[in-house]
């Protein structure tokens, strides 16, 4: 049968189930045609023994073969099949072996998502589902997705992504408590309250939860509940706050068997179902939202919105900037200074776009690095760039995966005195093109930073003029101080090495 | 006192209502004979399954069901009532129907003139003798040698060569391949005479036992326990398990012996041989198995003894000859069978088979229409045409297993994916989905119904059928099918509710919502039509609703365990049962919802069996004009005063005051009227074709 190129399939290997989405591209939108889901026990293995067992492997292979059979009935081209794996596989010690064996047996090549990539996909799917219905993007919103393995939380302040967190707060992780008999509803609720309290304290540092207007909840369990107690809308359900609170109270007083029969979950999953919903409840009670929005989407729709590389940064420029500002604020960075540096750096960047072989992702790296360049000062002024690299690399920044954060961190690391060296392990572990990116962008950032040597944001680059050998910066003021001239001269050396251009202030007529 | 009627006794009441039709003067004569046969056929299944289950429960000393009557008492009452009804059946036959048929020139004879004897002799020698296999009954024979529900002629024999009378005992099975009725030649215009197969065999039975003289003979039939469960824990191959069940069914215990009154000796011998007590022996005053008489109802030339001819009309939502895909792209189609034809469903399948744009056809097959089922045949053609065909064949459709196994095997041979039902659950829902590639993208067309994909029963049963290409419904229909075919676990669905998971909670929620509305001073109301009500939780919810003031009107054709009209319990509940020309089979559920009416069609009754142990499907009625129509159907059925019986608080049924409003007649008139109008002009176009 002829392959249908408008169809795509996404397989998501999660901690409690394997899901398949078959969708068709219609103009600019994706239309979900089929959704399949089969339960699996990966999470149980990994969160207890840190490894995927042979039994689970066989189970996964069996389900994937079934999905393969199903995908074939739709004649989907193999290049249109995307396979992602989330927390359970990510955390498994034997993940590489597992992925390799799965591919050998099923021909499905899985990409293991980082927590932040999963967050990004969640955000994309929510944006896709609610676009045209609710103005989430410009509001204060908390997006919470809870599954067996963990909870992803995204915080939007007037559309700016001020926080993105992936927490080890998943129902399967509570199985031990549930099974040991300690899992009475009271005990579990206390445990969850304690765990969510720690998280919400951290959130409060980024954004007061009381200002959250939209509480967006994702996940199969909350959807099941929304189908029963929520209002149906196009693309999402709406659960009123009172109805949700009443529901949580109701299930607290129910036996597992009652939960199972009333909400259509199996008896063995009723404990996890209960725990998952209590997690939503624990976050919800900190917000002032009057309702829960439950979009009819999942991470799989997010994959459809993404290109092969999950973090195509260009479409998320504002969100990533928001996340960087939020992180910078947490470490007391001088925002005026970093804004000025970012502004001037981007002016220079724009002029170099064509010859520097830059794309939009590079612009985001540069802007992020400018915003975060002084983050290391929080620890100590000595080796602050080195601290900056560490903090950036080990923070959760919405939209930036590990590689992205390493690149941004290295731009910060090398924008001051130290130059990139092949003896630096983080730098040498990068591919050639990424190493060049670090070289080029740290040189630009070094120049932009030099312009604000007096830390008073006096100089703003109005325009950049260029001839064969020079790049001249025309600034908003004419009387450039000798300090500033000297500072630029110091910074221009590396710039010239990298771009072959001498950089200087344009002479005023 | 229990708040429930006993399920089996309620069923007996139902069969009694069917029997009542057989004695209703206004029903044409041959239709009355058919009702007599249906009563008998109903009893066959009832004894095989329900009575056998009751006997087992009694033997196992199980606790009584919610109706709080011991199994012993239930069995006694069944036997008592069944004996009464059996006597009544033969009274109607002998005193009423047969004399009237005689007047119409149709006779059943046992005495013959010379010419007739000669004719019968030829028939016997040529067509019957060679297929008869007499069996001597001795200690080596066991009950397992007797086929369930097969007719036998039992004879006692006396050896001619010895002087002392030493009776031997033998049986002659009446081959199922032979016709039950044999017509004697007659001149034109003269009466037509028929002889029963067993009488014909009896006439020449001595030829089967050379050297013996026939002393006495009696015709009998044995009913055995048929409700052996498949070992569904071992579901590695359900097909093999079902085949084993069919073999096992020949090895179960006897629950009923029907025997004519011709020989007390034979009767006693059989009683002792089968170890069946007197209560289980039904002595009949005429031919055993009245179902066999139904053959005469289908001979030509007696139209005046039948209901007037009614051909199903083409559904009002469609015009004949229209492309079904194009029409379904514009609007939903609702069909009310048998007033409206089942043809559009066959058209949908047949058009899909030959349409190059069709990618796949998926459906459930529960009860097809026999060896030449056009539905199963179309699926075979589709698979041969390279379409993806997925059929969920329910092997557990009781007594249709062999039929379904044959289809399953044929479909597999031509490359279709055949899934043999679900372990532990019988797939009872009616589902068909065609996926088609169109210029705008992939579109799905779905048919959901309350009746089986059986074009024959679609002319005899009342059912609702619904076809749509609405995305919201077809998407969920696909989810549903994937879950029952094992590709997926059950997902969250908004429009389709499925048993055994979400349907019962939804029904309870809908009933409880009416209760809440009434408790808050509103007017709650529930109207529904379905086949049986036996689920205790549903009944309790209805009692609570009634007590809150919800007005509940139910039209339940068969079993009803709810006690209506009891003060303080069910004052606001009325139950009617309509038994008429067509078997009422639709399942319609209507809830007033404070003025925002909601209504659903379903494949399920409010029985624990349907809601907890079967895969069933319920879907909403969307369009306003369809809602209006479905509500009209419900209301018309509830106000029937010609064929409706009202359930009394004591469990008996009283025929409603004889009036002229027969719902079934009215629906046919409406379908006839609608078929005369070209209503397609007025149909609202929901979506434009690209």
């Amino acid at each position: 049968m002829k392959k249908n190129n408008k169809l795509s399939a996404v397989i998501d290997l999660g901690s409690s189930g394997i899901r398949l989405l078959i969708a068709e591209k219609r103009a600019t939108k994706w239309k979900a045609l089929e959704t399949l889901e089969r339960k699996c026990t990966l999470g149980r293995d990994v969160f207890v023994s840190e490894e995927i067992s042979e039994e689970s492997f066989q189970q996964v292979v069996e389900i994937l073969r079934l999905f393969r059979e199903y995908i074939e009935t739709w004649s989907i081209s193999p290049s249109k099949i995307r396979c992602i794996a989330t927390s359970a596989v990510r955390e498994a010690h034997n993940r590489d072996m597992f992925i390799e064996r799965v591919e050998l047996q099923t021909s499905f090549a899985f990409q293991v998502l980082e927590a932040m990539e999963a967050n990004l996909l969640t955000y994309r799917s929510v944006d896709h589902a609610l676009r045209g219905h609710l103005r989430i993007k410009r509001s204060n919103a908390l997006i919470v997705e809870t599954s067996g393995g963990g909870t992803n939380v995204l915080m939007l302040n007037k559309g700016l992504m001020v926080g993105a967190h992936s927490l080890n707060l998943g129902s399967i992780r509570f199985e031990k408590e549930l099974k040991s008999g300690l899992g009475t509803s009271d005990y579990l609720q206390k445990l969850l309250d304690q765990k969510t309290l720690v998280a919400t304290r951290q959130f409060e540092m980024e954004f007061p939860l009381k200002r959250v207007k939209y509480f967006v909840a994702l996940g199969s369990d909350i959807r099941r509940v929304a189908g029963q107690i929520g209002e149906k809308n196009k693309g999402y359900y709406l659960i009123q706050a009172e109805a949700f609170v009443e529901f949580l109270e109701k299930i607290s007083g129910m036996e597992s068997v009652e939960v199972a029969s009333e909400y259509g979950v199996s008896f063995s999953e009723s404990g996890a179902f209960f725990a998952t919903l209590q997690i939503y409840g624990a976050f919800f009670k900190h917000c002032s939202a009057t309702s829960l929005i439950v979009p009819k989407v999942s991470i799989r729709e997010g994959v459809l919105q993404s290109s092969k590389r999950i973090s195509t940064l260009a479409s998320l420029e504002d969100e990533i900037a928001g996340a960087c500002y939020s992180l910078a604020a947490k470490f007391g960075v001088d925002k005026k200074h970093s804004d000025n540096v970012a502004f001037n750096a981007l002016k220079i960047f724009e002029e170099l776009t064509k010859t520097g072989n830059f794309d939009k992702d590079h612009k985001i790296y540069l802007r992020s690095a400018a915003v975060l360049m002084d983050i290391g000062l929080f620890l100590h002024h000595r080796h602050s760039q080195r601290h900056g690299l560490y903090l950036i690399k080990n923070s959760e920044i919405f939209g930036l995966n590990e590689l992205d954060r390493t690149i941004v961190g290295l731009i910060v690391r090398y924008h001051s005195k130290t130059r990139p060296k092949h003896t630096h392990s983080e730098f040498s572990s990068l591919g050639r093109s990424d190493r060049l990116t670090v070289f080029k962008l740290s040189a630009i950032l070094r120049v932009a930073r030099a312009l604000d040597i007096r830390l008073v944001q006096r100089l703003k680059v109005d325009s950049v003029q260029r001839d064969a050998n020079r790049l001249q910066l025309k600034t908003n003021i004419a009387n450039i101080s000798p300090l500033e001239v000297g500072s630029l001269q110091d910074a221009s050396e590396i710039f010239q090495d990298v771009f072959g251009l001498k950089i200087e202030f344009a002479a005023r007529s | 006192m229990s708040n429930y009627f006993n399920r089996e006794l309620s069923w007996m009441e139902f069969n009694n209502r069917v029997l009542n039709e057989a004695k209703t003067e206004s029903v044409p004569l041959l239709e009355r004979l058919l009702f007599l046969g249906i009563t008998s056929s109903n009893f066959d299944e009832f004894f095989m399954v329900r009575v056998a289950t009751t006997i087992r429960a009694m033997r196992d000393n199980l606790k009584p069901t919610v109706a709080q009557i011991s199994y012993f008492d239930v069995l006694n009452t069944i036997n008592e009532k069944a004996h009464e009804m059996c006597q009544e059946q033969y009274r109607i036959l002998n005193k009423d129907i047969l004399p009237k048929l005689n007047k119409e020139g149709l006779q059943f004879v046992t005495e013959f003139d010379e010419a007739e004897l000669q004719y019968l002799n030829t028939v016997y020698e040529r067509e019957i003798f060679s297929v008869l296999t007499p069996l001597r009954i001795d200690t080596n024979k066991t009950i397992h040698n007797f086929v369930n529900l097969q007719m036998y002629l039992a004879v006692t024999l006396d050896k001619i060569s010895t002087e002392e009378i030493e009776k031997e005992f033998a049986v002659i099975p009446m081959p199922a391949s032979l016709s039950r009725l044999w017509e004697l030649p007659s001149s034109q215009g003269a009466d037509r005479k028929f002889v029963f197969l067993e009488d014909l065999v009896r006439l020449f039975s001595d030829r089967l036992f050379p050297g013996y003289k026939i002393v006495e003979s009696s015709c009998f039939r044995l009913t055995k326990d048929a409700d052996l469960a498949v070992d569904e824990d071992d579901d590695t191959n359900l097909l093999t398990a079902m085949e084993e069940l069919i073999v096992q069914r020949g090895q179960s215990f006897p629950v009923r012996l029907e025997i004519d009154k011709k020989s007390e000796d034979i009767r006693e011998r059989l009683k002792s041989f089968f170890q069946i007590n007197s209560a289980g022996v039904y002595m009949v005053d005429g031919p055993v198995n009245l179902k066999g008489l139904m053959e005469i109802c289908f001979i030509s030339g007696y139209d005046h003894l039948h209901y007037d001819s009614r051909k199903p009309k083409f559904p009002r939502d469609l015009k004949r000859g229209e492309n079904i895909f194009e029409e379904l792209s514009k609007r939903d189609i609702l069909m009310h069978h048998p007033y409206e034809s089942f043809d559009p469903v066959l058209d949908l399948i047949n058009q899909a088979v030959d349409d190059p744009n069709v990618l796949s056809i998926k459906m459930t097959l529960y009860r097809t229409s026999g060896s030449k089922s056009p539905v199963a045949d179309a699926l075979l053609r589709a698979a041969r045409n390279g379409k993806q065909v997925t059929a969920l064949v329910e092997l557990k459709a009781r007594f249709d297993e062999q039929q379904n196994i044959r289809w399953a095997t044929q479909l597999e041979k031509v490359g279709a994916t055949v899934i043999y039902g679900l372990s532990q659950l019988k797939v009872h829902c009616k589902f068909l989905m065609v996926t088609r590639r169109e210029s705008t993208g992939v579109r799905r067309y779905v048919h959901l119904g309350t009746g089986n994909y059986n074009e024959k029963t679609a002319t005899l049963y009342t059912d609702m059928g619904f076809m749509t290409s609405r995305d919201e419904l077809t998407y969920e229909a696909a989810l549903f099918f994937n879950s029952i075919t094992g590709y997926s676990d059950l997902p969250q669905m908004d429009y389709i509710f499925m048993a055994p998971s979400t349907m019962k909670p939804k029904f309870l929620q809908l009933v409880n919502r009416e209760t809440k509305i009434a408790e808050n001073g509103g007017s709650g109301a529930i109207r529904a039509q379905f086949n049986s009500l036996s689920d205790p939780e549903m009944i309790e919810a209805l009692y609570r609703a009634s007590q809150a003031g919800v007005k509940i009107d139910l039209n339940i054709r068969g079993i009803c365990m709810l006690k209506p009209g009891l003060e303080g319990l069910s004052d606001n509940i009325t139950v009617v049962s309509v038994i008429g020309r067509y078997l009422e089979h639709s399942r319609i559920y209507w809830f007033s919802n404070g003025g925002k009416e909601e209504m659903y069609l379903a494949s399920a009754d409010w029985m624990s069996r349907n809601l907890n142990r079967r895969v069933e499907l319920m879907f909403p009625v969307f369009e306003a004009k369809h809602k209006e129509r479905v509500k009209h159907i419900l209301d018309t059925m509830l106000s029937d005063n010609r064929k409706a019986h009202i359930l009394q608080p004591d469990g008996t049924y009283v025929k409603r005051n004889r009036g002229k409003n027969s719902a079934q007649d009215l629906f046919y008139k409406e379908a006839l009227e609608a078929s005369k109008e070209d209503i397609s002009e007025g149909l609202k176009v929901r979506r434009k074709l690209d």
Side-chain angles (χ1 to χ4, degrees), chain B residues 523-642:
Chain B
S523 62
I526 298 168
R527 284 172 222 167
Q529 166 172 353
F530 48 98
N531 298 344
S532 296
L533 171 57
S534 63
D535 183 75
E537 272 185 272
M538 289 307 305
I539 294 172
E540 286 301 324
L542 290 169
Y543 284 150
R544 282 195 301 274
S546 167
Q547 286 157 31
V550 179
K551 181 89 184 70
I552 301 166
D553 295 303
L554 306 174
N555 172 13
I556 304 168
R557 191 240 305 158
I559 297 163
C560 176
M561 288 173 64
L562 175 144
K563 291 184 172 176
L566 285 181
E567 205 181 325
L569 180 75
S570 55
D571 316 56
N572 291 311
I573 306 178
T574 62
V575 179
V576 301
S577 167
V578 174
I579 305 289
R581 167 177 185 161
Y582 303 118
L583 181 83
E584 288 299 331
H585 196 251
S586 307
R587 282 93 169 195
I588 307 170
Y589 302 92
W590 175 92
F591 303 87
S592 83
N593 188 25
K596 289 184 210 157
E597 298 177 349
E598 271 184 36
M599 60 191 81
Y600 297 87
L601 302 176
S603 61
D605 296 319
W606 280 350
M607 295 178 89
S608 304
R609 174 179 86 179
N610 293 94
L611 298 172
N612 301 336
R613 293 191 297 279
R614 280 183 173 184
V615 175
E616 304 272 9
L617 198 142
M618 166 168 101
F619 52 97
V621 181
F622 282 94
E623 293 187 4
K625 66 166 186 173
H626 287 158
K627 283 186 176 176
E628 205 177 299
R629 194 169 161 208
V630 171
K631 196 176 169 197
H632 166 72
I633 290 168
L634 260 181
D635 290 348
T636 308
M637 288 301 297
L638 287 166
S639 60
D640 184 299
N641 59 12
R642 192 160 176 80

Side-chain angles (χ1 to χ4, degrees), chain A residues 199-248:
Chain A
T200 48
R201 274 188 190 154
Q202 194 188 352
F203 300 166
E204 289 286 349
M205 286 165 66
E206 292 160 347
F207 182 69
L209 292 177
K210 282 287 167 217
R211 280 166 51 197
V212 167
K213 187 180 169 198
Y214 291 116
F215 187 95
V216 181
L218 284 106
S220 54
D221 288 338
I222 191 74
R223 271 193 69 180
R224 196 177 287 278
V225 173
Q228 296 196 23
I229 65 168
E231 299 158 25
K232 286 181 205 116
N233 290 289
K234 202 170 166 70
Y236 67 97
Y237 305 90
L238 199 72
I239 309 177
Q240 295 304 331
E242 308 81 62
F244 187 57
V245 172
E246 193 182 316
F247 162 80
L248 290 177

Side-chain angles (χ1 to χ4, degrees), chain A residues 26 33 35 37 39 69 237, chain B residues 442 444 475 486-487 489 494:
Chain A
R26 292 187 179 172
L33 296 175
T35 330
E37 174 176 358
K39 298 270 178 285
E69 182 183 303
Y237 305 90
Chain B
V442 171
R444 282 177 287 216
Y475 175 70
Y487 282 106
D489 297 330
D494 291 338

Side-chain angles (χ1 to χ4, degrees), chain B residues 39-52:
Chain B
T39 312
S40 180
S41 163
N42 285 348
F43 265 136
D44 289 351
E45 188 168 340
F46 179 70
F47 271 90
M48 268 192 289
V49 181
R50 302 306 310 177
V51 175

Side-chain angles (χ1 to χ4, degrees), chain A residues 4 24 26 31 33-39 66-67 69-70 73-74 223-224 227-228 232 237 296, chain B residues 362 386 388 435 437 440-442 444 471 475 478-479 482 486-490 492 494-495 505 509:
Chain A
N4 187 342
E24 185 180 38
R26 292 187 179 172
K31 179 164 179 54
L33 296 175
E34 302 259 9
T35 330
L36 274 67
E37 174 176 358
R38 291 292 300 266
K39 298 270 178 285
L66 203 65
F67 283 5
E69 182 183 303
Y70 199 79
T73 67
W74 278 97
R223 271 193 69 180
R224 196 177 287 278
Q228 296 196 23
K232 286 181 205 116
Y237 305 90
K296 297 176 182 174
Chain B
K362 298 177 178 184
Q388 288 285 342
T435 307
R437 187 187 287 137
T440 48
V442 171
R444 282 177 287 216
D471 280 343
Y475 175 70
L479 294 181
N482 286 336
Y487 282 106
S488 178
D489 297 330
L490 183 65
Q492 162 70 28
D494 291 338
Y495 299 97
Q509 191 191 10

Side-chain angles (χ1 to χ4, degrees), chain B residues 437-560:
Chain B
R437 187 187 287 137
E438 298 181 358
S439 59
T440 48
V442 171
R443 173 170 270 172
R444 282 177 287 216
Y445 299 85
V446 165
H447 170 266
L448 304 170
T450 64
N452 295 313
Y453 288 107
N454 183 328
E455 70 294 338
K456 284 185 187 160
T457 55
T459 62
L460 301 169
Y461 294 6
T462 76
D463 269 306
M464 304 296 298
F466 178 68
M467 294 202 275
T468 187
S469 68
R470 279 172 186 276
D471 280 343
E472 60 269 46
L473 210 66
T474 58
Y475 175 70
E476 292 198 354
L479 294 181
F480 164 77
F481 196 74
N482 286 336
S483 75
I484 61 170
T485 48
Y487 282 106
S488 178
D489 297 330
L490 183 65
Q492 162 70 28
M493 294 194 280
D494 291 338
Y495 299 97
I496 288 180
F497 299 92
M498 179 180 164
S501 51
T502 55
M503 191 187 286
K504 189 167 166 184
K506 181 68 183 175
F507 272 135
L508 289 169
Q509 191 191 10
L510 289 165
V511 173
N512 294 339
R513 187 175 63 188
E514 295 302 317
T515 309
K516 232 176 198 174
I517 290 170
E519 280 170 351
N520 293 333
S523 62
I526 298 168
R527 284 172 222 167
Q529 166 172 353
F530 48 98
N531 298 344
S532 296
L533 171 57
S534 63
D535 183 75
E537 272 185 272
M538 289 307 305
I539 294 172
E540 286 301 324
L542 290 169
Y543 284 150
R544 282 195 301 274
S546 167
Q547 286 157 31
V550 179
K551 181 89 184 70
I552 301 166
D553 295 303
L554 306 174
N555 172 13
I556 304 168
R557 191 240 305 158
I559 297 163
C560 176

Side-chain angles (χ1 to χ4, degrees), chain B residues 107-124 182-187 190-195 200 203-204:
Chain B
Q107 293 182 33
F108 297 95
V109 290
T110 50
E111 287 171 8
F112 316 98
D113 61 26
E114 266 311 304
E116 286 168 343
L117 272 176
Q118 194 145 1
Y119 171 79
L120 290 175
N121 181 42
T122 315
V123 168
Y124 180 81
W182 295 77
E183 187 170 2
L184 289 162
S186 60
S187 53
D191 287 357
R192 293 176 74 171
K193 291 180 182 175
F194 296 88
V195 58
L200 212 162
L203 199 62
F204 302 108

